[in-house]
Amino acid sequence: MLPQGSLDSAGTQPSLFGAARHFSVGSAPSWVATGDFNGDLKLDLAVANNNSNDVSVLFGDGAGGFGTAVHFPVGSRPYSVALDDLDGDKKLDIVCTNSGSANVSVLFGNGVGGFDAAANFPVGTAPSSVPSSVAVGDFNGDLKPDLAVGNFQSNNVSVLFGNGSRGFGSVTNLSVIGSAFQVVVADFNRDLKPDLAVAVYSPGNVRVLLGKGGGLFEAAEDLPIVTNVDSVAVGDFNGDMKPDLAVASRFNVSTLLGTGTGSFSVASNFPVGDENRFVALGDANPNYDPFHLAYIGNGGMGHEGCEGNPQRNREQRLPRTLQRTTRAA
C-alpha cells in the first residue's frame, strides 16, 4: 500500500505547498512546461492555451513570481507543449500540438526570451488526427532531435525525424489501436535506444513500443490498466534503477514496475478520486523519504507517496543521446 507520509500532532497530513498564486495567461490553458527561455538561469513557464490559439510564456524572477505573459500564436486548439533545443543552437525551443489543425507548431527560441513565427508540421492521418501530446527523442541515432506525437483521433503515434536545421522529414505513423492521449520517451530495456510508452484512453491501456534504432520500433506490447487512461509518466519507484510507469486513469493512479528488459509488472491500482487526468512525479517534500505522485482530477489535486529512493532516482541518468527525451509535456 502506498504510504501517505508523516502526520502532524493533530493526526492530519501537513500541507506540502503554500497558498496558490495566480498568473494570467491565454484562454483555456491546457498544458504547462518549465524551462529557461531567456538565459538568466531562472525557470520560466510555457502554457498552451486551447481557446486563444497561442502559447503564453511567463518569465520567472527566481523567487516564485512571474512577469506578464507574452503570447505567441500557434495552430488551432493547441493542447500540449514540450521543450528542447530542436535546432542545435543551444537555445530552448517550444513544440506544441494543435488538436484543431492536425499539426504541431515549433517556436524556435532566440535565447533572450523571443521566438520566431511558428513553423507548422502535419501529423496523423486524415481527416482529423487531433494530436494531443508530444515528446522529444533521437529515434534514428543521428544525434538530431525527433518528435513523437500522440494522435487521439487517428489512433496512432506520428514520428517526425528532425534534420537539425529547423526541419522535419516525412511522417511515420505507428498504430496504437485506440485513442492515443499521451506519449513519453525512455529507455525501458536499457539498450541505449529510446522507447515509447503511450497512454491509450480507450480501450484503456499503455502501449509500449521498443526502439530498434534507425527509426524503427518492435511490435507493440499493450499493458492493461482499468479504463480511460489519460496520462503516463516515467520514474524509478522502487530504487532498482529500472524505469517504471505511473498512469492516471478515471478513478485510479496505477504503477507498473519495469524489469529493465522492456516488460512490466501487472498494474497496481490505487483509488484516488474522480476523473483523474494527469500524473506527475517528484520529491514533493525532501524531508520525507517517499517519492511522490501528483494527480489532478475533477476533485482537485492530490498526492501519494511511493516507496523508493528519491536520491537514486535523481541520480539515474540516460546516455547523452537520450537525455533530451526526459522532459515531456
Side-chain angles (χ1 to χ4, degrees):
M1 168 174 192
L2 293 179
Q4 295 296 309
S6 301
L7 301 181
D8 61 20
S9 59
T12 59
Q13 187 172 338
S15 174
L16 297 177
F17 301 95
R21 300 175 63 185
H22 304 284
F23 302 93
S24 296
V25 291
S27 176
S30 56
W31 206 282
V32 62
T34 61
D36 179 11
F37 301 119
N38 56 359
D40 63 357
L41 303 182
K42 301 170 184 176
L43 283 179
D44 311 313
L45 302 178
V47 182
N49 302 304
N50 195 247
N51 282 353
S52 52
N53 298 333
D54 56 20
V55 170
S56 298
V57 173
L58 299 88
F59 298 103
D61 61 12
F66 295 89
T68 302
V70 182
H71 308 292
F72 298 91
V74 288
S76 173
R77 310 285 292 185
Y79 189 76
S80 69
V81 291
L83 314 178
D84 213 305
D85 176 10
L86 298 176
D87 56 356
D89 64 357
K90 304 185 186 309
K91 299 167 184 175
L92 200 57
D93 308 312
I94 301 173
V95 56
C96 173
T97 61
N98 300 308
S99 63
S101 50
N103 59 11
V104 295
S105 295
V106 179
L107 299 164
F108 292 101
N110 61 15
V112 293
F115 294 86
D116 291 347
N120 299 316
F121 303 92
V123 294
T125 50
S128 178
S129 60
V130 188
S132 56
S133 75
V134 59
V136 183
D138 178 12
F139 303 118
N140 56 359
D142 64 357
L143 303 183
K144 300 170 184 176
D146 309 314
L147 303 179
V149 181
N151 300 304
F152 188 84
Q153 189 68 39
S154 56
N155 300 341
N156 53 22
V157 172
S158 295
V159 177
L160 297 84
F161 298 103
N163 61 18
S165 300
R166 300 194 170 192
F168 292 89
S170 58
V171 176
T172 297
N173 291 313
L174 308 174
S175 176
V176 171
I177 311 178
S179 301
F181 194 75
Q182 186 180 6
V183 58
V184 295
V185 181
D187 183 7
F188 296 121
N189 57 356
R190 300 188 293 182
D191 64 353
L192 307 186
K193 300 167 186 174
D195 310 313
L196 301 176
V198 186
V200 183
Y201 180 80
S202 177
N205 57 45
V206 174
R207 171 157 282 207
V208 175
L209 300 101
L210 299 178
K212 299 169 60 174
L216 302 176
F217 292 85
E218 295 182 9
E221 178 185 5
D222 292 324
L223 309 176
I225 313 295
V226 181
T227 183
N228 294 356
V229 175
D230 283 293
S231 176
V232 61
V234 180
D236 177 12
F237 305 133
N238 57 355
D240 64 356
M241 303 297 290
K242 301 170 184 175
D244 308 315
L245 297 175
V247 181
S249 56
R250 184 173 181 183
F251 299 110
N252 300 278
V253 169
S254 303
T255 57
L256 301 91
L257 300 180
T259 65
T261 63
S263 62
F264 293 84
S265 68
V266 174
S268 297
N269 303 312
F270 303 93
V272 292
D274 185 20
E275 298 292 343
N276 299 296
R277 295 302 184 194
F278 299 99
V279 62
L281 314 178
D283 186 7
N285 188 333
N287 293 323
Y288 299 153
D289 288 335
F291 196 57
H292 283 76
L293 309 177
Y295 51 88
I296 298 177
N298 285 350
M301 178 177 177
H303 74 277
E304 297 283 351
C306 282
E307 294 290 357
N309 188 323
Q311 185 61 38
R312 289 184 65 184
N313 190 79
R314 284 195 292 267
E315 290 174 352
Q316 184 176 1
R317 293 292 183 265
L318 293 175
R320 182 68 187 96
T321 57
L322 300 185
Q323 284 181 10
R324 64 169 57 96
T325 71
T326 61
R327 185 193 296 269

